[in-house]
Amino acid sequence: VTLSQVSYDSLRCCLDWIYCGTTEVMSEQALFALLEAAVYLRIQELVTAGGQAATLRLDPSNTLLAWTVAEPRPELAGLAAAAFRKACRNFSAIVADSAAWASVPRALVHALLADDRLAVTKEEDVYHAAMAWIAARNPPLAASETMSLLVHVRYARLEAHFVADVVRREPLLRTASGSRFYWTHSKPHGLALSHPHVWAVYAAFCT
């Protein structure tokens, strides 16, 4: 039998749990790998215990990894929710780790930037985080994908000088396709055409 999705160390820990009722991991990376293995092998008690242990250890340095591991797995919904809350509360500290932020899957970036619980002192931080993630993509995102991420920025909250000096000078935002995409997709994102976000970003894109 080949278990290509389970490492030797994780399998050993799973067997320790099954036969001894306990196991030990040497690092947070090993804990998250064990959680993935436990879900894959359907060892529910280990999933529960490991998820609780990981939740207790959440901090800005491991929140994105925890979220990435837990979000696609319904069995780890509790860990995913806790990691999401921690990410919102510690947004500035999390995105300061540029390598970790750049590695976050697209769907999770969308979910985080769109959440109104983000603890930021100014909306400019959200804009910079979005642009940093976009800049790290290789190959580059298509224009439509870029706009779909930047639509989460609350443009009406940006300082006027920031819009003039930064947003309006960003090459990615000074394209006809960019402005067309925004107007086409404003309503699905919950923005009426009279919403101040729409007018602010329209001015940034088109003037």
Side-chain angles (χ1 to χ4, degrees):
V1 177
T2 300
L3 298 175
S4 59
Q5 298 187 44
V6 179
S7 69
Y8 169 81
D9 289 337
S10 294
L11 180 59
R12 177 181 55 77
C13 289
C14 288
L15 292 174
D16 286 345
W17 179 271
I18 292 171
Y19 289 105
C20 303
T22 185
T23 190
E24 183 178 350
V25 293
M26 303 306 295
S27 67
E28 290 175 348
Q29 296 280 348
L31 174 58
F32 292 123
L34 175 59
L35 277 172
E36 291 178 305
V39 170
Y40 179 73
L41 297 173
R42 300 182 181 180
I43 309 173
Q44 186 55 50
E45 289 186 357
L46 181 54
V47 171
T48 300
Q52 291 172 346
T55 299
L56 291 173
R57 297 183 184 185
L58 284 174
D59 62 45
S61 70
N62 62 23
T63 296
L64 292 180
L65 175 59
W67 193 22
T68 302
V69 169
E71 179 68 15
R73 297 173 172 86
E75 300 87 346
L76 297 172
L79 175 59
F84 189 87
R85 291 192 297 269
K86 180 75 75 171
C88 287
R89 289 196 299 267
N90 298 277
F91 181 72
S92 296
I94 286 171
V95 300
D97 184 344
S98 57
W101 176 242
S103 68
V104 178
R106 182 178 311 169
L108 300 186
V109 174
H110 275 280
L112 185 57
L113 295 184
D115 199 284
D116 288 331
R117 293 173 294 177
L118 280 185
V120 292
T121 57
K122 54 186 184 302
E123 192 66 19
E124 285 80 354
D125 293 342
V126 179
Y127 175 87
H128 284 308
M131 293 303 300
W133 190 87
I134 291 167
R137 307 278 60 81
N138 187 19
L141 295 179
S144 60
E145 294 174 308
T146 298
M147 295 304 117
S148 71
L149 183 66
L150 290 176
V151 78
H152 298 312
V153 179
R154 292 79 168 166
Y155 290 90
R157 300 181 187 174
L158 298 176
E159 295 289 342
H161 68 85
F162 184 86
V163 173
D165 297 340
V166 178
V167 177
R168 289 177 57 181
R169 297 184 182 183
E170 170 54 51
L172 291 175
L173 303 182
R174 296 189 62 82
T175 63
S177 62
S179 62
R180 284 196 303 269
F181 176 86
Y182 188 87
W183 281 97
T184 301
H185 292 79
S186 59
K187 287 186 178 180
H189 286 274
L191 300 178
L193 292 180
S194 60
H195 196 286
H197 290 183
V198 176
W199 293 113
V201 77
Y202 180 77
F205 287 169
C206 303
T207 60

